Amino acid sequence: MTSIGAAAAAEEISDADFDRFRSMFYRKTGIYFEDSKRYFVDKRLKDRMKQTGHTLFKSYFTFMRFQASGDELQSLVNAMTVNETYFFREEYQFETMCRHLMDELDNMRPAGEDLRIWSVPSSTGEEPYSIAIYLLEYWKGLEHRDVEIVSSDIDTSVLEHAKRGIYSKRSVQNIPLTMRQRYFTQHGNEFHLCSDIKDSVTLCLANILGAEVPGRFRSFDLIYCRNLLIYFDDDSRRRAAQVLYDALKPGGYIFLGHSESMSRICSLFKVKKFGDVIVYQKPTNEGAFR
Amino acid sequence: MGLRKSRGESAAQADRRQSRRDLTSLIDDLQNEAADVRRWAARDLSNNLEARRALLDRIDVEHEPMVLEALFSAIEDMCDEEVAGEVLIKLKSEDAQVRNGAIELLQNKPVLFASHVNELLNDEDSDVRIFAVDVIGAIRHPDAALWLHDVVLNDKNINVVGTAIDKLSEIGNSETLEVLDKVSARFSNEAYIQFAIRCVRHAVAGEEI
């Protein structure tokens, strides 16, 4: 390993280095960088090389690829994925929920039984509250069917933020103005979510890989688990997939982030497409809780 | 009707099981006719050392993909030298999912895999050698490139060598280039091998393909 200190500048990354990195990263994560992303990738690679004291790409690549702990690969994944959350992020999934999935689930379940949705991780609440707003705005089934939304996170600080329900302008900028006025009150640069929406979501502390989760989180009809599995190693990812499978009722659905693929993790789920939107379904004839 | 909070104090639902979850009952459940009963048994036997034998045996006769997934997950965290030895045998299974389960498990156990790598790379079955190369290509082990060098220099089966060359695209190093010269001479009439070598040279040294 060549290591000459964190202050040294990283060398330029050649076309062949980029290809090699891209191929490895795709195999590990399922994320493929087009040539147009070259600047984005190079910049982050060089940042990580600098952080780890490598001036040569080859030495950094070998270090990252064979590090026993896998920590550097994880740091690289974190750097290469945009970890931000805001209301109505990947809105096409909410549209699919309201246009297709909720009606199908409504028809599948007995009258009088609530439909249950689990949003994990909650982060600071933008996702579960987006689900609530979308259902109120676009799903007529709420006239005859109750829906429960449960959202969990491993981080108490983000849960506290979610419970407060106070957001920046950037966080709410994708919400149409009329909806924003309906569900938020503006105080200077802050947007305060109304209590009706906050009260409609159950927020709770949980680690998806924790021993208590398979017993506690069950009988869900729909799960949002976006941009979480990508941060797990292969083993944890497979275990999490089993937990999500157990948490769904037969016929239930799961959304992953746009760069994630359940098919790369396990073969438990059926892949269904609604237009360009991919959703994973637990087979209708399998897996009642025993 | 509308949105409402969970009825319980949290998202938790009472853990009401439909059948007994003691060790003996769960091991019996591994033979149950219903696949979801077998799968739940495997889930609940995860990391139970007393169930290890039963879980390993079930892998050999199980054909339901979802149950196999659960069986491999169940033994993953208690995979020691003894279990690893049994998992290696499953690389010879006729069932592709059993083989894949074994490969994925071994990819996450580099130290255990390393202690068996020579035995696998010398197996008389070329398919087993290819599976071993697949594992080497994915694990984090400092000797991985050395093992592949050994394969490409010595294995007589072109498919095994081709697979190993392909893996070197990712994990090859400066020594690989010298090794590839010798491999090129070994398979001078094989266009596929020559092309694969050019691809590795491009990946490792930036040479034109």
Side-chain angles (χ1 to χ4, degrees):
Chain A
M1 181 199 318
T2 304
S3 175
I4 60 170
E11 68 162 4
E12 288 304 309
I13 291 161
S14 71
D15 292 350
D17 291 340
F18 176 75
D19 284 344
R20 194 179 192 193
F21 167 76
R22 168 163 71 178
S23 170
M24 183 281 299
F25 200 73
Y26 175 70
R27 198 179 60 73
K28 291 281 187 191
T29 68
I31 298 172
Y32 184 80
F33 294 113
E34 300 290 346
D35 288 343
S36 59
K37 295 279 186 185
R38 179 69 186 269
Y39 175 77
F40 171 91
V41 172
D42 281 11
K43 185 173 185 304
R44 281 154 185 77
L45 270 176
K46 284 195 273 192
D47 282 349
R48 290 309 310 161
M49 288 164 66
K50 193 174 172 187
Q51 290 287 327
T52 52
H54 293 264
T55 53
L56 301 173
F57 172 81
K58 287 179 177 56
S59 71
Y60 171 74
F61 186 83
T62 302
F63 162 71
M64 175 267 297
R65 176 63 180 72
F66 292 110
Q67 186 187 36
S69 68
D71 290 348
E72 182 52 28
L73 175 62
Q74 196 55 64
S75 296
L76 199 52
V77 169
N78 295 352
M80 293 291 175
T81 50
V82 181
N83 185 22
E84 60 172 350
T85 180
Y86 46 84
F87 281 86
F88 292 8
R89 182 181 181 192
E90 296 181 52
E91 187 173 359
Y92 54 88
Q93 294 188 333
F94 301 124
E95 288 174 7
T96 299
M97 169 180 72
C98 289
R99 284 186 187 166
H100 304 285
L101 303 190
M102 292 302 285
D103 286 339
E104 185 182 321
L105 291 164
D106 185 37
N107 291 329
M108 202 187 295
R109 306 303 184 212
E113 186 176 292
D114 294 355
L115 293 181
R116 303 184 76 230
I117 299 173
W118 181 17
S119 159
V120 55
S122 71
S123 186
T124 42
E126 287 88 338
E127 178 176 282
Y129 294 143
S130 293
I131 295 168
I133 292 171
Y134 233 86
L135 287 172
L136 286 169
E137 290 288 328
Y138 298 112
W139 192 54
K140 286 189 166 36
L142 275 183
E143 292 168 7
H144 64 267
R145 176 80 75 173
D146 279 341
V147 176
E148 298 174 28
I149 303 171
V150 174
S151 191
S152 63
D153 204 291
I154 194 172
D155 183 341
T156 53
S157 64
V158 298
L159 283 167
E160 283 307 314
H161 185 145
K163 283 175 185 168
R164 283 195 298 275
I166 299 173
Y167 297 96
S168 67
K169 186 170 185 180
R170 192 199 61 78
S171 185
V172 301
Q173 67 187 0
N174 280 15
I175 306 175
L177 181 61
T178 51
M179 265 190 240
R180 201 188 307 167
Q181 289 169 337
R182 197 173 304 144
Y183 296 109
F184 293 84
T185 314
Q186 187 168 0
H187 299 270
N189 291 324
E190 291 179 343
F191 290 79
H192 293 215
L193 183 62
C194 70
S195 56
D196 282 353
I197 297 295
K198 283 195 288 185
D199 290 346
S200 69
V201 174
T202 302
L203 294 162
C204 51
L205 182 67
N207 172 5
I208 191 173
L209 295 178
E212 83 287 1
V213 164
R216 283 180 62 201
F217 290 78
R218 288 190 285 104
S219 303
F220 287 99
D221 297 284
L222 178 59
I223 297 175
Y224 283 81
C225 183
R226 307 191 300 180
N227 307 308
L228 174 68
L229 301 182
I230 196 170
Y231 298 107
F232 291 173
D233 62 25
D234 292 345
D235 178 21
S236 303
R237 202 174 288 131
R238 275 200 296 277
R239 283 195 287 145
Q242 296 274 358
V243 169
L244 295 169
Y245 184 87
D246 292 343
L248 280 173
K249 288 181 190 168
Y253 285 98
I254 179 165
F255 283 114
L256 299 181
H258 74 278
S259 63
E260 299 172 306
S261 166
M262 189 62 88
S263 309
R264 291 173 59 88
I265 303 170
C266 70
S267 56
L268 291 169
F269 297 86
K270 286 197 300 186
V271 181
K272 289 187 84 169
K273 287 188 84 175
F274 295 91
D276 291 335
V277 182
I278 293 173
V279 196
Y280 301 91
Q281 186 179 33
K282 179 172 181 170
T284 50
N285 59 342
E286 288 178 9
F289 190 56
R290 293 281 168 179
Chain B
M1 294 291 155
L3 301 177
R4 71 171 179 193
K5 287 214 171 187
S6 288
R7 289 172 181 149
E9 60 176 358
S10 72
Q13 295 216 334
D15 190 3
R16 291 184 221 95
R17 308 306 295 262
Q18 295 174 26
S19 57
R20 290 165 59 89
R21 314 314 289 169
D22 60 274
L23 178 68
T24 309
S25 303
L26 289 171
I27 289 177
D28 286 346
D29 279 354
L30 289 175
Q31 317 298 328
N32 193 288
E33 280 183 9
D36 65 324
V37 172
R38 299 199 301 278
R39 180 177 175 277
W40 271 112
R43 297 281 287 138
D44 289 338
L45 288 169
S46 291
N47 296 324
N48 187 330
L49 286 171
E50 292 178 82
R52 204 163 67 163
R53 178 76 266 145
L55 291 164
L56 282 164
D57 289 346
R58 184 67 212 174
I59 288 174
D60 293 334
V61 292
E62 180 61 59
H63 294 295
E64 191 65 43
M66 70 167 184
V67 184
L68 276 169
E69 296 254 7
L71 288 165
F72 275 106
S73 287
I75 62 169
E76 183 139 14
D77 283 345
M78 47 186 175
C79 187
D80 58 11
E81 187 68 36
E82 186 185 336
V83 173
E86 299 227 16
V87 171
L88 293 179
I89 296 168
K90 299 188 191 311
L91 289 174
K92 291 176 181 280
S93 170
E94 292 297 311
D95 185 330
Q97 203 189 350
V98 171
R99 293 195 303 270
N100 287 339
I103 289 170
E104 287 175 1
L105 193 150
L106 291 169
Q107 283 173 346
N108 288 321
K109 309 288 177 194
V111 176
L112 285 173
F113 176 77
S115 64
H116 292 278
V117 69
N118 286 330
E119 147 194 2
L120 285 170
L121 292 178
N122 287 299
D123 195 287
E124 61 184 19
D125 183 344
S126 59
D127 284 345
V128 170
R129 302 202 298 280
I130 287 174
F131 298 144
V133 167
D134 280 337
V135 176
I136 294 171
I139 60 172
R140 297 189 193 101
H141 194 286
D143 292 339
L146 284 176
W147 293 331
L148 292 183
H149 290 168
D150 189 49
V151 171
V152 296
L153 287 171
N154 297 303
D155 202 293
K156 292 184 171 59
N157 183 295
I158 189 170
N159 294 320
V160 179
V161 172
T163 307
I165 293 173
D166 178 52
K167 303 300 175 192
L168 283 168
S169 288
E170 182 174 314
I171 66 173
N173 51 37
S174 54
E175 291 166 27
T176 301
L177 301 173
E178 198 176 321
V179 169
L180 290 178
D181 285 339
K182 295 176 185 166
V183 182
S184 180
R186 280 187 74 204
F187 295 93
S188 55
N189 295 322
E190 297 290 349
Y192 157 63
I193 294 289
Q194 298 300 325
F195 175 73
I197 287 172
R198 287 198 296 278
C199 291
V200 177
R201 287 190 174 284
H202 171 73
V204 175
E207 293 177 14
E208 292 297 316
I209 294 180

